[in-house]
Structures are given as structure tokens and as C-alpha cells.
């Protein structure tokens, strides 16, 4: 089919390239000229494993093109996928829908024949109904222009795999023609066994935020358990393994550490709480505020542990000075295999330590560039070992594979003090301790 993808960020670029891979002809709409030029040249403006090769291949074959013109998109596409961002409002907890509204208002006046617009962006419940009314009002094609809501569940770092092999396909529709068209479009995936849930707009919108809220809750649950483990000399890794064997609970997303970040989980749970308030069901969502609180507290706790490791225990409530100390931070991205530093716990911790007087040297295999733009006052090293020169403490804050391959022997003569803190619970603490290092981690003895 001939499709358009409106908004070429993580979601849009991946959807565009993956749908070209499935054999569709794709026109991507991107209003940022610099991004558009890169994409048209077959280059991805961010780091995502496997995506560059896919994009380059389909740009070269002509199956995937980019444009800025809504008129061209309307003339080209049988289905239009809406993939623009819905960030947190600058002054509030709700979602900023300016890009979604802008895209519908830009596209609708050109839709003069029967067509389908498919929303994939994460939006507050109720948005799809409102957008479908706007489409009917503004599109010359009127009621022949249909809207469906088809949320996306891809994870950064696995974006291509998640798009080509999704766990499920959710279709929020009000017209059977939309369902038929989308079942045809996703035919190869459905034939391969991907479950399909056909539902209404509101449920489809809620499925997405409910899924992210559940994942965030799982992470904050295990992080809250980590605090209890620390207070009782218990071990959160053993605890997570043991409860995770219960298939009703499951081990995934039970990794205690410095908490969740990124462009999705934090802003989605806040937007959900905000929307619940508008709908008069705020009390039902109060627990999500605690999920957010536990998550943010993890960052604060790491800062306190770092202070204690460098300056020793202080009187209750007192803050140890970090002036004159040097801290190596391994990782800046909000998670490995990404260069995304939006709401990154690692950078947030690095920034707070810097503000308290420490010299902080950050190394990330992919995110140093994006981190430098966001936090220019930190120092950036070219390698994990270089970051540790003269360090009083090494903080492992984003679990890139290469950090697990570094052992005490690599750093013994590099650091000033042999101290390491594992904020992601994946280093071998016993090995570091056996080599004479002080090694601590979240929720562990
Ligand atoms: C998340 C969801 O997992 C996707 O399903 C969803 O499509 C996406 O948001 C979105 O809304 O677009 P993503 O933001 O790429 O995907 O990242 P996750 O893999 O969910 O990780 C989020 C954060 O949680 C990271 O900072 C990660 O380090 C942290 N995390 C994850 C933990 O602290 N512990 C865990 O056990 C798992």
C-alpha cells in the first residue's frame, strides 16, 4: 500500500522504515529541515541499532521518501499514520498536543477522497474522538475520512524488532471499514500469529498509557523493595529472582536501580494522572504519584550514597562536601543501546553531584553528544577507563555491555580511590570486593 508517516522521530522513522521493509511504499513527513535532509540521505538522526541499515536500503530503492508537504502526503497516501511527539507540557503535567493538532489541521484540508488516518502517538484518553470530529469538519472528504487509533509499544534500542514483531496489535475503530483496511495492512504480522485486539478509541488510547503505567509501577515497586532490603540487610536481586519465578509476577522489569527515565514512562504517567484529574477519577490514580515519587527518590538516594562513599557518614541531615572530589560516571543515556538523554536518571545524578562541588567526568558509548548539549557543564571522556582517571568513586549508571567487561585490574592504577557503585545491579560486586574495592549497589548487601 501507499502510506504516509507524519512526524519522523523515533516512532515515525522506525515505522516508516519497517513498513517499507514489509513492502509498502512510504512517504515520511518531517517539518524539521535538518532532520528531513538527513533522513532523505538515508541517515538516522539518532542512535537506534539496526535502523540505519533499513532506512538507507529503502531510501536507496526509492520505496521510502521524505517530504514536508501535506498536499503531497494527501495525494500519495491511502493510509496516513500520525507519529508526532506528545511531550510533557512546559508548564504542567499534562501532555502537549500541539504537534498532534498541528498535523491534523495541516493534513485535513487536503483530504478530499476516502482515506484513513491512523493515530499512533501516545495521547490522553478522549483525544481520538476529538480529532475524528476535527477531521470530519475540516476534510473536504467529510465522513469518508476515517480515523483509527493504533498505539505503538516499541522500546528504544529494540525499535525495529518491536515494530516488525509486535506483541499485539490494538485497533481502536468506530467504522468496520477502518478495521478491514488495517487488518489488510498488517496482514503479514497477523498471519504470523500476532494477536489483534479490536476496540473503541478510548480503550485503545488507555491501553498504551496503562501499559506504561504498569511497567513504571513494576520498576518503582522493586525500587521500594530495594530500600527495604537496604534497611534489613536483605538482597533485592535474590528477592526479584524469587518473586519473578511466579509467572503471575514475572522477572522482567523488576531490575532495581536508579529508576526509569526517557521520553515515555515519566511523562506518560504524569499525563495519565493529569487526565484522570480532568475526568474526576484522580483518586484512582493517586498511586501513580507515588510511583513517580519513588522513582525520583532513587536518584536522590544515589547522590546521598555517593556523598557518603566519598566523604564518610555525616551527622543526620548534614551534607558532606564534594568539593575537590572527582567522580566517574559510566553512562548518560536513559538506558543502554540508545543516545536518548531525555529525563535520564544517570545525567540527573551526574548533574546533582556536579552542583554539590564534585568534578564529574561522564562517559557514554553513544550519548556523549546528546548529553553534552543537555549538560554542557559536565566533563566528558572518550572512554570508560579515561573517565576514571584520578576518580574517588566510579558510578555505573547506565548498563551498557562494555561496562560489564571492565574489571578491577583495568582500573586499579587509574583511580585515586578504589570505590565503585552499581546503580543498575549488573556488576559482579564480589569480584570487585575480592580485588580490594569498596563496592555498593542498590538494595544489596
Ligand atoms: C517504554 C515502553 O517499554 C515501551 O513499550 C513503550 O512503547 C515506550 O516506552 C513508549 O511509550 O514509546 P522505552 O522508553 O524505550 O519504552 O524504555 P524502557 O525499556 O521501558 O525503559 C524505561 C526506563 O526504565 C529506562 O530508564 C530503564 O533503565 C528503566 N528500567 C527498565 C528499570 O529501571 N528497571 C527495569 O527493570 C526496566
Amino acid at each position: 500500500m501507499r502510506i504516509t508517516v507524519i512526524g519522523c522521530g523515533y516512532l515515525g522513522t522506525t515505522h516508516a522504515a519497517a513498513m517499507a521493509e514489509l513492502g509498502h511504499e512510504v512517504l515520511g513527513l518531517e517539518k524539521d529541515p535538518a532532520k528531513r535532509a538527513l533522513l532523505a540521505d538515508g541517515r538516522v538522526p539518532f542512535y537506534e541499532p539496526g535502523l540505519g541499515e533499513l532506512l538507507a536500503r529503502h531510501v536507496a530503492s526509492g520505496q521510502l521518501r521524505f517530504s514536508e508537504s501535506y498536499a503531497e502526503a494527501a495525494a500519495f497516501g491511502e493510509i496516513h499514520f500520525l507519529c508526532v511527539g506528545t511531550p510533557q507540557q512546559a508548564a504542567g503535567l499534562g501532555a502537549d498536543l500541539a504537534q498532534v493538532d498541528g498535523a491534523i489541521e495541516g493534513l485535513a484540508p487536503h483530504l478530499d477522497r476516502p482515506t484513513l488516518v491512523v493515530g499512533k502517538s501516545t495521547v490522553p484518553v478522549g483525544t481520538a474522538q476529538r480529532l475524528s470530529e476535527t477531521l470530519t469538519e475540516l476534510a473536504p472528504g467529510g465522513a469518508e475520512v476515517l480515523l483509527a487509533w493504533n498505539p505503538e509499544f516499541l522500546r528504544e534500542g529494540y525499535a525495529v524488532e518491536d515494530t516488525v514483531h509486535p506483541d499485539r496489535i490494538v485497533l481502536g475503530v468506530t467504522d468496520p471499514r477502518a478495521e478491514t483496511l488495517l487488518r489488510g495492512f498488517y496482514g503479514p504480522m497477523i498471519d504470523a500469529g500476532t494477536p489483534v485486539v479490536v476496540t473503541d478509541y478510548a480503550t485503545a488510547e488507555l491501553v498504551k498509557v496503562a501499559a506504561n503505567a504498569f511497567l513504571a509501577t513494576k520498576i518503582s515497586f522493586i525500587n521500594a523493595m530495594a530500600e527495604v532490603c537496604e534497611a534489613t540487610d536483605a538482597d533485592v536481586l535474590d528477592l526479584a529472582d524469587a518473586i519473578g519465578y511466579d509467572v503471575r509476577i514475572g522477572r522482567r522489569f523488576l531490575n532495581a536501580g536508579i529508576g526509569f527515565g526517557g521520553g515515555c514512562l515519566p511523562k506518560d504517567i504524569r499525563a495519565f494522572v493529569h487526565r484522570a484529574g480532568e475526568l474526576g477519577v484522580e483518586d484512582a490514580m493517586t498511586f501513580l504519584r507515588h510511583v513517580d515519587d519513588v522513582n525520583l527518590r532513587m536518584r536522590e538516594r544515589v547522590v546521598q550514597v555517593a556523598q557518603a562513599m566519598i566523604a564518610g557518614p555525616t551527622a543526620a541531615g548534614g551534607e558532606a562536601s564534594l568539593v575537590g572530589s572527582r567522580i566517574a560516571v559510566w553512562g548518560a543515556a536513559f538506558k543502554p543501546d540508545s543516545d536518548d538523554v531525555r529525563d535520564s536518571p544517570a545525567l540527573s545524578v551526574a548533574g546533582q553531584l556536579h552542583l554539590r562541588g564534585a568534578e564529574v567526568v561522564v562517559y557514554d558509548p553513544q550519548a556523549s553528544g546528546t548529553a553534552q548539549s543537555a549538560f554542557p557543564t559536565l566533563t566528558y571522556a572518550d572512554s570508560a577507563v579515561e573517565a576514571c582517571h584520578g576518580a574517588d568513586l566510579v558510578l555505573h549508571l547506565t548498563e551498557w555491555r562494555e561496562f560489564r567487561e571492565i574489571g578491577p585490574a583495568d582500573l586499579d592504577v587509574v583511580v585515586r580511590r578504589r570505590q565503585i557503585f552499581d546503580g543498575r545491579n549488573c556488576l559482579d560486586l564480589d569480584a570487585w570486593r575480592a580485588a580490594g574495592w569498596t563496592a555498593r549497589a542498590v538494595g544489596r548487601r
Side-chain angles (χ1 to χ4, degrees):
M1 294 181 82
R2 287 154 71 107
I3 65 156
T4 76
V5 173
I6 301 168
C8 294
Y10 263 103
L11 167 57
T13 304
T14 311
H15 190 65
M19 294 308 114
E21 175 76 3
L22 293 185
H24 301 290
E25 265 187 79
V26 185
L27 179 69
L29 243 69
E30 174 51 54
K31 63 177 194 274
D32 180 326
K35 255 195 208 170
R36 197 172 59 245
L38 273 177
L39 292 165
D41 198 30
R43 288 183 288 155
V44 182
F46 47 86
Y47 178 75
E48 179 62 43
L51 183 57
E53 187 266 327
L54 210 61
L55 181 82
R57 185 145 44 84
H58 293 296
V59 166
S61 72
Q63 190 131 351
L64 172 55
R65 294 186 297 114
F66 293 91
S67 168
E68 59 172 330
S69 160
Y70 283 115
E72 188 184 351
F76 179 86
E78 296 162 73
I79 305 181
H80 305 280
F81 288 94
L82 191 60
C83 295
V84 293
T86 53
Q88 187 173 331
Q89 284 168 0
L93 296 182
D96 178 351
L97 295 178
Q99 293 181 54
V100 170
D101 289 330
I104 291 291
E105 283 157 21
L107 180 66
H110 303 283
L111 298 176
D112 53 9
R113 59 190 165 102
T115 188
L116 176 64
V117 177
V118 180
K120 291 193 84 65
S121 308
T122 303
V123 291
V125 57
T127 305
Q129 182 56 40
R130 180 172 66 74
L131 295 180
S132 86
E133 287 159 19
T134 308
L135 274 176
T136 309
E137 196 184 309
L138 298 184
E144 291 304 302
V145 175
L146 305 176
L147 179 80
W149 214 261
N150 168 220
E152 176 59 56
F153 304 97
L154 67 81
R155 298 159 298 166
E156 292 182 20
Y158 301 89
V160 174
E161 171 63 17
D162 286 353
T163 305
V164 179
H165 299 115
D167 291 335
R168 72 292 210 188
I169 294 171
V170 176
L171 304 177
V173 293
T174 52
D175 188 307
R177 286 174 295 174
E179 180 186 343
T180 306
L181 208 55
L182 283 171
R183 278 188 182 275
F185 180 74
Y186 288 125
M189 297 176 191
I190 298 172
D191 292 345
T194 307
V196 183
V197 178
V198 180
T199 183
D200 50 79
Y201 288 157
T203 308
E205 292 166 316
L206 279 172
V207 167
K208 174 59 195 263
V209 283
N212 276 1
F214 191 83
L215 294 171
T217 303
K218 242 184 138 175
I219 299 168
S220 278
F221 172 84
I222 200 66
N223 282 335
M225 289 301 130
E227 270 193 67
V228 179
C229 285
E230 282 174 24
T232 53
D233 233 4
D235 188 291
V236 77
L237 269 191
D238 291 346
L239 179 102
D241 286 345
I243 63 173
Y245 282 122
D246 183 333
V247 289
R248 294 170 303 173
I249 296 173
R251 179 63 178 80
R252 294 173 74 186
F253 269 68
L254 280 184
N255 296 319
I258 61 170
F260 58 81
C264 301
L265 261 46
K267 65 108 176 156
D268 284 355
I269 60 170
R270 288 172 197 153
F272 199 7
V273 171
H274 179 84
R275 185 68 183 129
E278 290 175 346
L279 294 166
V281 287
E282 191 168 6
D283 288 352
M285 290 292 114
T286 310
F287 75 96
L288 277 182
R289 286 191 191 280
H290 295 300
V291 166
D292 203 2
D293 287 346
V294 169
N295 189 53
L296 293 177
R297 196 166 62 238
M298 298 315 289
R299 303 176 187 188
E300 186 52 39
R301 293 183 72 236
V302 175
V303 171
Q304 286 166 3
V305 171
Q307 282 181 313
M309 287 179 83
I310 286 179
T314 54
E319 280 197 359
S321 170
L322 291 175
V323 174
S325 67
R326 198 178 161 106
I327 299 176
V329 168
W330 284 352
F334 83 104
K335 68 175 199 180
D337 297 314
S338 168
D339 64 355
D340 194 343
V341 297
R342 285 177 294 171
D343 203 354
S344 163
L347 267 190
S348 159
V349 167
Q352 288 183 59
L353 291 168
H354 175 71
L355 287 175
R356 288 171 205 209
E359 187 189 345
V360 179
V361 187
V362 179
Y363 167 72
D364 188 287
Q366 290 294 336
S368 287
T370 45
Q372 228 153 351
S373 320
F375 280 74
T377 52
L378 303 174
T379 306
Y380 292 87
D382 290 330
S383 76
V385 173
E386 187 193 313
C388 297
H389 275 281
D392 297 294
L393 174 65
V394 179
L395 294 178
H396 172 244
L397 301 184
T398 310
E399 68 275 34
W400 288 91
R401 175 183 290 273
E402 71 173 69
F403 299 144
R404 293 197 283 283
E405 284 159 8
I406 300 172
D410 300 308
L411 296 183
D412 273 343
V413 295
V414 173
V415 296
R416 182 156 62 191
R417 292 171 69 187
R418 293 189 291 166
Q419 302 201 91
I420 190 162
F421 176 83
D422 183 6
R424 291 297 181 180
N425 268 330
C426 47
L427 300 182
D428 182 351
L429 293 190
D430 290 341
W432 287 87
R433 285 173 182 156
W437 283 60
T438 301
R440 291 181 60 179
V442 177
R444 305 202 63 198
R445 284 186 290 273

